[in-house]
Amino acid sequence: MTAVPLLEITNLTVEFTTRRGIVKAVKQVDISVAKGETVGIVGESGSGKSVTSFAVMRILDRAGRVAEGSISFSGFDLTNAPEFAVRDLRGREMSMIFQNPRAALNPIRKVGRQIEDVLRQHARTGSGDARTRAIEALANVRINRPEDRYDAYPFELSGGMCQRVVIALALACRPELLIADEPTTGLDVTTQKAVMDLIVDLTRERGMSTVLITHDLGLAAAYCDKVVVMEKGEVVETAAARDIFARPSHAYTRKLMRATPRPGIALRDLLPEGAPVAAIKQPAASDAALLSVKGLVKEYPRVHTRSLISRYLRKGNETASAPFRAVDGISFDIRRGESVGLVGESGCGKSTTSMMVMRLLDPTSGSIIFNGQEIGELPARTFAGNSLRSKIQMVFQDPTESLNPRFTAVRAISDPILRLDKPMAADALRARCEDLARVVGLPPDLLDRFPHQLSGGQKARVGIARAIALNPDLVILDEPTAALDVSVQAVVLNLLADLKATLGMSYLFVSHDLHVVGLLCDRVIVMQNGQIVEEGITKQVLEAPTADYTRALISAIPHPPV
Amino acid sequence: MMKLLLDRLLTTIPALIGVVVASFLLTRVLPGDTAAYFAGPAATPQAIEQLRQQLGLDRPLPEQFGHYVVDLAKGDLGKSLTTGQPVLSDIKARLPASAELTLFGLILALLIAVPLGIAAAVRQGTVVDHACRAIATAGVSLPVFFTGLLLIYVFYYILQWSPAPLGRLDVFTSAPRGVTGFYLIDSLIAGDGETFRASFSQILLPGITLAIFSLAPIARITRASMLSALSSDFIRTARAAGLGARTIIVTYAFRNAMLPVITTLGMVFSFLLGANVLVEKVFAWPGIGSYAVEALIASDFAPVQGFVLTMAILYIVLNLLIDLTYRVIDPRMRNAS
């Protein structure tokens, strides 16, 4: 380690001018990154971790400004340097990669050209060998057939591939510092592992320094030398990665650590120390199957690339290409009072399956028997008018997007009651919604607020209250905590477990996160390519997986060293 | 690509049939008696009746429609009673005049509005932004006949910089040999600088009048779509990669912001082509809009039907061009079925 750090952030305060006055997003932050070091900045949403990195790159948006403090890079003062000087550093000496890699690339420019733009900007290349250098950059991030990929557009590449391109773009000019802002959020665990390993390999190889910004403590612990924990714009703890997990000194770090799902713990362990908790009652799961799915298949026709005329002309000898099977003949049961996890990576068919069970999508073939009644044949289009609708409800992935922005919380919760239940007087309805709010732990005085006036956790509670408003037998939870911070996720998962115990519902829990599923579910089903590759008691599947795919999934999850 | 063109043309056939039927019916439903109008105020009822028979207007509607469709299939749009010429040759003569004027005005508007919109988006909330809004609002608030008359008053009557606003060429110049029908282009092809100058000085004032009117939608849509492009993630990536301001604004933001601008452009063009009757009247421009309005007032069916059909075809061709441009700009459109 050299004496002079590569990046030195001293006493940094960043302010944003908003309609409600000046907001300090980052307060007196000190962070230093030595040459060759990997530093993790960990925190939940609103902790100021991204704003700090934008301030370093000097790409804060119009409303934000550095109010005090200084940022120096190799002894060069970034805070007061003129824009052209900083622009010259960006991409050449310090680079940044972002979350949502597909959106981070220009959608209508070939990826090779985008890398060339950076190379040209920093005069690393003449026009003659720009293409060669860009292909080289693609090859460096281990993209197969880089010559062909040069001509690809972002929409033609997978999310993981796009992130590789973004990394290639960031590293094309061999910078000394790489800032990775949630580089793997939204990617599958196996892709996440591949991308993180790539970043680590490349930065080690080149002796680069890395700042990894993440909400995932496990990820930070697995890949960083030093971890900086931020809360509400302030640094609460800085320590070596090994020490911070062994001896977290700040209460917030301890809370974060506890809330991170990991193997060998129970649901209650996620909650902060000293939280008043009762043991989760284990309802007796009866043997009778509530839901029985048999040979479920969903096919989609391949996209027709042939034109209208040629289709018309060749109407007779239609050479039908085999349709795509999103769900390929799966069968499983859910017993009354049981919760079953449905796990797999994106594109494995888990969402399609849940949509069919939910009766939002018609299956191609197979049967769905709910409470002894075949519901697979009831058309999805008219199922909303069926009395069974109230017995199968759903909690959606994004608590914000799944609430009508013009409905207050009480209106959202009462929606299924108004549509499916007997008409009732306004005050009775209000009382019922207040009861429901109490059950899900939502303070009743928040009921008259609109979604944008509620926090993420509160919105999640509204979504859950809406789902249980009609006392359903089966609730389908589609990644209900994926958009939430870990501490909020901990509370919501516990709430779901308690609700199931008191109300005697069954859950179908759809998720990509095996640890989360492990905490909430009795049994787990692992899907790959539309088929079930493994099914069994959660504990057994997690501790002694039989399928290779399950093993790959489990080993790809980054573990904190505890 | 050819396949796509054919496909798209095939799908427009039902629309064209609809236009033919609707334009035929609408002209018959309109009040006004063609025979009475053309027989003149002094005509006897017998003379009117005779004229009616001559024109075939005494026949039942389905029969008249049949004749119309058969003629149409032969490429015969009928004869204008007002000009005495076949409608097809009238339109051939007048469409280029309108098209040249509209294109000229639109290109002028583009040259001003697009940079203005980009500047307003890049310097959001500054003087440039406010100026853009003021210019756009003023342009769209002033009626074209007013702007036209004002320009004539200032540049022809007071300053005498401009020739008399009497059509496409002054009386001393003869039209260049028709290749495109656009005098500016034809005179250049013929290498005739004199005619080019003459027609340019004629088209300038009506062109500016149209440009002032069409500035507003183009500038506003450019500003709006630039703003949304500039706030997207890939612009942040480009900035973080240290790309220059010019590359970011032009290559990254503007190319992505172009699609809505092109859509608006197509709409403005097809709207102006048929609807700038007032400008044509003020500048005595022998365009297609004033032709159609005159025919409509005289209950002269054939030119009106011909006009509506021409506009429909133009509209279809224009939309096809816009779709093709989309595909050139946005690779995502190319694979979309």
PDB file of all heavy atoms in Angstrom, chain A residues 222-233:
ATOM      1  N   ALA A 222     -17.562 -10.607   0.273  1.00  0.00           N
ATOM      2  CA  ALA A 222     -16.896 -11.615  -0.536  1.00  0.00           C
ATOM      3  C   ALA A 222     -15.832 -11.011  -1.441  1.00  0.00           C
ATOM      4  O   ALA A 222     -14.877 -11.690  -1.796  1.00  0.00           O
ATOM      5  CB  ALA A 222     -17.924 -12.384  -1.364  1.00  0.00           C
ATOM      6  N   TYR A 223     -16.000  -9.757  -1.842  1.00  0.00           N
ATOM      7  CA  TYR A 223     -15.106  -9.221  -2.861  1.00  0.00           C
ATOM      8  C   TYR A 223     -14.239  -8.039  -2.423  1.00  0.00           C
ATOM      9  O   TYR A 223     -13.416  -7.586  -3.191  1.00  0.00           O
ATOM     10  CB  TYR A 223     -15.911  -8.821  -4.100  1.00  0.00           C
ATOM     11  CG  TYR A 223     -16.503 -10.005  -4.832  1.00  0.00           C
ATOM     12  CD1 TYR A 223     -17.825 -10.388  -4.637  1.00  0.00           C
ATOM     13  CD2 TYR A 223     -15.718 -10.747  -5.717  1.00  0.00           C
ATOM     14  CE1 TYR A 223     -18.362 -11.480  -5.299  1.00  0.00           C
ATOM     15  CE2 TYR A 223     -16.246 -11.841  -6.386  1.00  0.00           C
ATOM     16  CZ  TYR A 223     -17.565 -12.206  -6.174  1.00  0.00           C
ATOM     17  OH  TYR A 223     -18.078 -13.284  -6.833  1.00  0.00           O
ATOM     18  N   CYS A 224     -14.468  -7.482  -1.217  1.00  0.00           N
ATOM     19  CA  CYS A 224     -13.752  -6.249  -0.876  1.00  0.00           C
ATOM     20  C   CYS A 224     -12.681  -6.451   0.184  1.00  0.00           C
ATOM     21  O   CYS A 224     -12.753  -7.356   1.009  1.00  0.00           O
ATOM     22  CB  CYS A 224     -14.732  -5.184  -0.387  1.00  0.00           C
ATOM     23  SG  CYS A 224     -15.918  -4.744  -1.647  1.00  0.00           S
ATOM     24  N   ASP A 225     -11.666  -5.541   0.153  1.00  0.00           N
ATOM     25  CA  ASP A 225     -10.654  -5.536   1.197  1.00  0.00           C
ATOM     26  C   ASP A 225     -11.158  -4.752   2.402  1.00  0.00           C
ATOM     27  O   ASP A 225     -10.947  -5.106   3.536  1.00  0.00           O
ATOM     28  CB  ASP A 225      -9.370  -4.856   0.698  1.00  0.00           C
ATOM     29  CG  ASP A 225      -8.855  -5.516  -0.567  1.00  0.00           C
ATOM     30  OD1 ASP A 225      -8.881  -6.758  -0.628  1.00  0.00           O
ATOM     31  OD2 ASP A 225      -8.459  -4.791  -1.497  1.00  0.00           O
ATOM     32  N   LYS A 226     -11.840  -3.638   2.081  1.00  0.00           N
ATOM     33  CA  LYS A 226     -12.270  -2.734   3.132  1.00  0.00           C
ATOM     34  C   LYS A 226     -13.743  -2.418   2.893  1.00  0.00           C
ATOM     35  O   LYS A 226     -14.178  -2.355   1.747  1.00  0.00           O
ATOM     36  CB  LYS A 226     -11.433  -1.456   3.050  1.00  0.00           C
ATOM     37  CG  LYS A 226     -11.575  -0.530   4.219  1.00  0.00           C
ATOM     38  CD  LYS A 226     -10.497   0.551   4.166  1.00  0.00           C
ATOM     39  CE  LYS A 226     -10.935   1.704   3.290  1.00  0.00           C
ATOM     40  NZ  LYS A 226      -9.924   2.766   3.209  1.00  0.00           N
ATOM     41  N   VAL A 227     -14.505  -2.250   3.952  1.00  0.00           N
ATOM     42  CA  VAL A 227     -15.919  -1.946   3.783  1.00  0.00           C
ATOM     43  C   VAL A 227     -16.254  -0.646   4.527  1.00  0.00           C
ATOM     44  O   VAL A 227     -15.832  -0.452   5.662  1.00  0.00           O
ATOM     45  CB  VAL A 227     -16.810  -3.093   4.314  1.00  0.00           C
ATOM     46  CG1 VAL A 227     -18.274  -2.708   4.262  1.00  0.00           C
ATOM     47  CG2 VAL A 227     -16.579  -4.357   3.505  1.00  0.00           C
ATOM     48  N   VAL A 228     -16.986   0.221   3.834  1.00  0.00           N
ATOM     49  CA  VAL A 228     -17.456   1.460   4.434  1.00  0.00           C
ATOM     50  C   VAL A 228     -18.974   1.334   4.529  1.00  0.00           C
ATOM     51  O   VAL A 228     -19.634   1.085   3.529  1.00  0.00           O
ATOM     52  CB  VAL A 228     -17.096   2.676   3.550  1.00  0.00           C
ATOM     53  CG1 VAL A 228     -17.675   3.945   4.121  1.00  0.00           C
ATOM     54  CG2 VAL A 228     -15.596   2.785   3.382  1.00  0.00           C
ATOM     55  N   VAL A 229     -19.513   1.461   5.736  1.00  0.00           N
ATOM     56  CA  VAL A 229     -20.963   1.347   5.881  1.00  0.00           C
ATOM     57  C   VAL A 229     -21.549   2.746   5.993  1.00  0.00           C
ATOM     58  O   VAL A 229     -21.095   3.555   6.804  1.00  0.00           O
ATOM     59  CB  VAL A 229     -21.336   0.518   7.124  1.00  0.00           C
ATOM     60  CG1 VAL A 229     -22.848   0.377   7.234  1.00  0.00           C
ATOM     61  CG2 VAL A 229     -20.688  -0.852   7.060  1.00  0.00           C
ATOM     62  N   MET A 230     -22.537   3.047   5.158  1.00  0.00           N
ATOM     63  CA  MET A 230     -23.160   4.374   5.198  1.00  0.00           C
ATOM     64  C   MET A 230     -24.617   4.261   5.605  1.00  0.00           C
ATOM     65  O   MET A 230     -25.312   3.323   5.258  1.00  0.00           O
ATOM     66  CB  MET A 230     -23.069   5.055   3.824  1.00  0.00           C
ATOM     67  CG  MET A 230     -21.669   5.553   3.482  1.00  0.00           C
ATOM     68  SD  MET A 230     -21.622   6.469   1.922  1.00  0.00           S
ATOM     69  CE  MET A 230     -22.394   8.012   2.409  1.00  0.00           C
ATOM     70  N   GLU A 231     -25.049   5.265   6.376  1.00  0.00           N
ATOM     71  CA  GLU A 231     -26.456   5.336   6.751  1.00  0.00           C
ATOM     72  C   GLU A 231     -26.885   6.795   6.698  1.00  0.00           C
ATOM     73  O   GLU A 231     -26.236   7.652   7.306  1.00  0.00           O
ATOM     74  CB  GLU A 231     -26.661   4.780   8.172  1.00  0.00           C
ATOM     75  CG  GLU A 231     -28.130   4.755   8.575  1.00  0.00           C
ATOM     76  CD  GLU A 231     -28.325   4.572  10.075  1.00  0.00           C
ATOM     77  OE1 GLU A 231     -27.355   4.718  10.829  1.00  0.00           O
ATOM     78  OE2 GLU A 231     -29.464   4.301  10.474  1.00  0.00           O
ATOM     79  N   LYS A 232     -27.947   7.082   5.991  1.00  0.00           N
ATOM     80  CA  LYS A 232     -28.499   8.439   5.890  1.00  0.00           C
ATOM     81  C   LYS A 232     -27.430   9.490   5.595  1.00  0.00           C
ATOM     82  O   LYS A 232     -27.385  10.536   6.229  1.00  0.00           O
ATOM     83  CB  LYS A 232     -29.229   8.801   7.180  1.00  0.00           C
ATOM     84  CG  LYS A 232     -30.489   7.971   7.364  1.00  0.00           C
ATOM     85  CD  LYS A 232     -31.187   8.316   8.650  1.00  0.00           C
ATOM     86  CE  LYS A 232     -32.294   7.337   8.935  1.00  0.00           C
ATOM     87  NZ  LYS A 232     -32.394   7.042  10.366  1.00  0.00           N
ATOM     88  N   GLY A 233     -26.556   9.208   4.638  1.00  0.00           N
ATOM     89  CA  GLY A 233     -25.588  10.206   4.222  1.00  0.00           C
ATOM     90  C   GLY A 233     -24.323  10.255   5.045  1.00  0.00           C
ATOM     91  O   GLY A 233     -23.446  11.066   4.781  1.00  0.00           O
TER      92      GLY A 233
END
